[in-house]
Amino acid sequence: MSYPDPVYGPPQSERPRRPRRGLLTVALAALVPGALLGWVAYEAVGSSGGDSGQAAAPPSATGGPAQPEESLPPSSGSPGRDDRKPSASASSTPTTSAPAAFGPLKGKVVVIDPGHNPGNFRHTAEINRKVNVGTHFKECDTTGTSTNDGYTEARFTLDLAHRLRALLEAQGITVKLTHDNGSPPWGPCVDERARIGNAARADAAVSLHADGSAPGNRGFHVILPGAVHAGAADTRPIVAASRELGERIAGNLVRATGEGPSNYLGNGTGLVTRKDLGGLNLSTVPKVFVECGNMRDSKDAALLTSGDWRQKAAEGISEGIVGFLRGS
């Protein structure tokens, strides 16, 4: 499956290949009222962001694409732009929205997993300990990457999560975040992030990230679980549904943001399958990772640090999730 690429041109490291599947049709007419309602909810709850004042981490020193669980030391770079911030819960514990009294998707549950945690760099011993990710052991969590100006991935993902939560709640969906507003103060570990979605019996789970690849590498990609059946991991029951979820999110990200799919991973499809990520390997519910762009590329960084762009990205991801839950 490939999407029109209005911005980036051909991939730098992979030749485009003819995809095997077409993009599933998205019922945009049904989604637009929900997106508008979400925006009304966003405007009504105020503009106090939950990511202000966080210390920054430096960019990756490597030239290749960063892994979603790549470790980086702290730094004190300047913050990115937060020119349009969402509301954030004042709760000191991970947030679960109250079940909605109304809405077309009342009764559905979505878990949003903001990648990394702004406090991780203060707890290096804790996040460096190894945990079982199903097929092998891996670090509990990492600090994530950042733009060259010091706007951190953890700060980006938490802001995007708050925007996405408001849009989903407007549809009647019950939303749970794996962490929020410094609680827990680090992590959770990647295995626990998967267990949170499983325990919630989520209808869908989405982990939000941004990449740390070489300059010139641009665009988003959605990571899908591969079929893994080894050790504590068995993704076979969720592979097909996760692919559908990822396809819908990818298609709506193109439409909502105008951002093309990755020009360095996925052969122009915006989709990448992996078998090494604990957050996917241990999930028993449909789940994908969304790498929203490359923080190390100046053009992508300008998008990721823009509140206006983050709102568009939240709308695209929300519409993909809603289409998946409706099955239309």
Side-chain angles (χ1 to χ4, degrees):
M1 175 183 58
S2 62
Y3 305 107
D5 189 353
V7 182
Y8 307 133
Q12 294 185 359
S13 59
E14 298 185 44
R15 292 186 303 168
R17 56 178 170 82
R18 188 175 184 82
R20 293 178 293 180
R21 300 182 57 179
L23 176 64
L24 296 171
T25 303
V26 180
L28 293 177
L31 296 177
V32 169
L36 292 175
L37 182 58
W39 176 242
V40 171
Y42 157 74
E43 288 291 341
V45 293
S47 60
S48 58
D51 59 5
S52 60
Q54 303 293 351
S60 169
T62 63
Q67 305 301 316
E69 298 164 6
E70 181 186 26
S71 178
L72 294 166
S75 179
S76 57
S78 60
R81 299 193 312 263
D82 286 322
D83 46 344
R84 193 168 76 188
K85 291 185 177 182
S87 66
S89 169
S91 172
S92 62
T93 59
T95 302
T96 301
S97 59
F102 59 88
L105 291 172
K106 182 179 182 294
K108 297 293 186 182
V109 177
V110 171
V111 168
I112 303 172
D113 177 28
H116 313 287
N117 185 318
N120 275 358
F121 75 90
R122 300 187 187 96
H123 297 271
T124 54
E126 291 90 341
I127 67 170
N128 284 334
R129 71 179 178 85
K130 299 294 181 69
V131 298
N132 189 340
V133 297
T135 57
H136 59 288
F137 283 80
K138 198 167 187 176
E139 289 77 12
C140 158
D141 199 12
T142 66
T143 58
T145 188
S146 74
T147 67
N148 292 335
D149 290 334
Y151 181 70
T152 65
E153 181 182 1
R155 183 175 174 183
F156 165 80
T157 61
L158 194 57
D159 177 272
L160 182 60
H162 290 158
R163 297 171 189 272
L164 180 55
R165 176 177 59 189
L167 292 165
L168 295 175
E169 287 177 342
Q171 293 284 336
I173 298 168
T174 299
V175 179
K176 183 177 183 67
L177 270 62
T178 58
H179 67 94
D180 195 14
N181 296 322
S183 182
W186 54 270
C189 295
V190 294
D191 57 334
E192 179 61 21
R193 290 173 187 257
R195 284 194 288 268
I196 290 169
N198 299 344
R201 298 183 179 179
D203 296 286
V206 176
S207 188
L208 304 175
H209 288 268
D211 206 359
S213 186
N217 290 344
R218 296 199 60 195
F220 74 87
H221 62 278
V222 181
I223 303 176
L224 314 175
V228 177
H229 184 213
D234 187 359
T235 62
R236 294 173 299 173
I238 67 166
V239 166
S242 297
R243 172 168 283 273
E244 180 185 351
L245 174 62
E247 287 175 345
R248 290 180 180 275
I249 289 174
N252 278 283
L253 271 173
V254 171
R255 185 203 58 75
T257 67
E259 180 187 12
S262 171
N263 66 3
Y264 62 104
L265 290 171
N267 293 306
T269 66
L271 301 174
V272 175
T273 299
R274 290 180 59 172
K275 298 181 178 181
D276 62 316
L277 299 179
L280 297 180
N281 286 357
L282 297 176
S283 182
T284 60
V285 302
K287 185 173 183 179
V288 298
F289 280 39
V290 184
E291 294 279 0
C292 296
N294 177 17
M295 296 194 113
R296 299 299 312 284
D297 177 83
S298 60
K299 293 180 180 178
D300 266 13
L303 300 177
L304 298 169
T305 56
S306 163
D308 287 335
W309 187 90
R310 290 196 299 275
Q311 187 64 29
K312 292 177 183 177
E315 290 166 2
I317 296 170
S318 171
E319 289 168 6
I321 294 170
V322 168
F324 171 77
L325 295 179
R326 285 180 172 167
S328 59

